[in-house]
Amino acid sequence: RNVTKEYSYYHDDIRVCAWNTNLIFAGSIGRLVGYEISYDDISIENAEYRLPQVNGQEREVQSLFKLNEDTLAVVGSGEILPVTVRVTVRSETDYKIEWKPGTAAKFTEHGKEAYPYCDDLPDDRTKNKLACTYEEGENLVTRIFTLTGRGEEKTFTMSKPVVYGVRRHFHGLAGLGRQGYVVAAVGPLYNDTRSVGPIMVAYAHIRSDNEVEVTDFVRMPFEMSYGYFSLDNLYFNGAVMCYTRAASGGIDCVSMDVSHEMGPQGTPIQFGSTLTVSSGGSAINHSKVKLQIVNRDTFALMWADKNLGGAISYQMVSFNDAGDMVKNGPAYIISQWNRGTR
């Protein structure tokens, strides 16, 4: 539903983070903006925050997460910056936001070319850790970040960087809590002229000393991908990945079970059920396939559908009692391509 329509700055891409039931924060190059999502006409004082620059350049927002009760973690331009956020509800229609940046932690010298992908690692009590994967030269690197300190002293401590593979066209990560997480590398090697490549995943184990060790990759059998993929966790022992299937040009999804058991038997990741969400050259823009977890039994997928002239499609998917994925209703059309333009 078109609940809220707000002014937005021009940007090529944004990251969105839910703060509470009705308040979200969107991050684009150089800024964060708060939006209240409801049918009420609510004003927000100080809704926009200009992020500190990095070496005289606007800070990228390549990942954005809420940690603990009051912190936004802004990942981009080779740094991770904690921003303390205080939201004051002065009345039912009047909000005020206060921003206080902490101290950024630099994790790479490659800046915005690192292409970091991150996920949080919560447990039953705290939510102060992030796991990230990023590119450095020819390598894929991963490490974890732990939020420490208060106010302007708030920052992140970092584990040692771990090189776990060679760069491919796309990579990603799904956090599974304090025990570990899944990393993935998809498609051809970064300097390969071919357009297709394998789908490979590995398990990153978090040791008791807060350092990371990564298993060898396991390759998804009989599958190749030529486009961007999306990966996220369903719960502490499960994840789902959706990708552009080379054989059909459609969008397929696969579930994964993760046992967290490190040993000589190899990877603790097992591929599960698969589902064709859309077939026949569906994804018009592979970089815009987006997976959204609803709960541990349901997720949704959004993509620009070539079969519908580029309209943004939204398909809900659920797991049945047998653990198989099934489409939950039809694909919904969120927005038509170029509607309202001539």
Side-chain angles (χ1 to χ4, degrees), residues 19 48 71 73 86-87 90 102 108 154 159 166-168 179-180 207 210 246 264 301 330:
W19 187 257
E48 178 194 355
T71 306
R86 181 183 178 186
V87 180
R90 297 186 291 202
T108 179
K154 190 176 288 186
S159 66
V166 179
R167 279 177 57 190
R168 291 188 175 271
Q179 290 180 280
R207 303 186 322 212
N210 223 31
L301 192 69

Side-chain angles (χ1 to χ4, degrees), residues 198-200 218-224 243 245 254 271 274:
I199 300 170
M200 303 189 303
V218 58
R219 179 171 173 172
M220 188 176 177
F222 313 116
E223 286 286 17
M224 299 284 277
Y243 55 93
R245 188 167 183 255
V254 60
F271 292 108
T274 60

Side-chain angles (χ1 to χ4, degrees), residues 91-266:
S91 73
E92 292 183 355
T93 59
D94 185 18
Y95 291 4
K96 179 182 179 181
I97 300 177
E98 298 173 84
W99 315 81
K100 184 184 292 292
T103 302
K106 181 178 288 292
F107 58 86
T108 179
E109 296 294 337
H110 287 254
K112 65 180 181 180
E113 303 301 323
Y115 304 108
Y117 289 89
C118 307
D119 203 358
D120 58 351
L121 300 169
D123 61 17
D124 293 334
R125 298 168 309 216
T126 57
K127 189 178 179 182
N128 63 353
K129 289 183 184 293
L130 282 179
C132 293
T133 172
Y134 54 95
E135 299 176 1
E136 220 171 48
E138 298 180 355
N139 297 319
L140 291 174
V141 183
T142 186
R143 67 203 308 182
I144 58 175
F145 303 85
T146 304
L147 183 65
T148 60
R150 293 188 177 189
E152 295 181 355
E153 301 300 320
K154 190 176 288 186
T155 188
F156 286 91
T157 59
M158 300 180 288
S159 66
K160 297 176 183 177
V162 177
V163 175
Y164 67 92
V166 179
R167 279 177 57 190
R168 291 188 175 271
H169 279 197
F170 308 102
H171 66 108
L173 182 149
L176 298 169
R178 297 306 173 94
Q179 290 180 280
Y181 53 96
V182 174
V183 288
V186 175
L189 296 173
Y190 76 100
N191 57 357
D192 197 330
T193 57
R194 290 176 294 184
S195 60
V196 300
I199 300 170
M200 303 189 303
V201 297
Y203 175 69
H205 171 64
I206 302 174
R207 303 186 322 212
S208 58
D209 61 358
N210 223 31
E211 297 296 336
V212 178
E213 54 184 352
V214 185
T215 66
D216 292 334
F217 278 118
V218 58
R219 179 171 173 172
M220 188 176 177
F222 313 116
E223 286 286 17
M224 299 284 277
S225 176
Y226 69 89
Y228 182 77
F229 74 107
S230 194
L231 169 69
D232 207 345
N233 66 299
L234 287 164
Y235 44 92
F236 292 142
N237 293 93
V240 64
M241 175 193 295
C242 298
Y243 55 93
T244 309
R245 188 167 183 255
S248 66
I251 301 173
D252 279 22
C253 296
V254 60
S255 64
M256 287 173 277
D257 181 77
V258 185
S259 66
H260 296 287
E261 296 178 359
M262 298 289 288
Q265 73 274 14

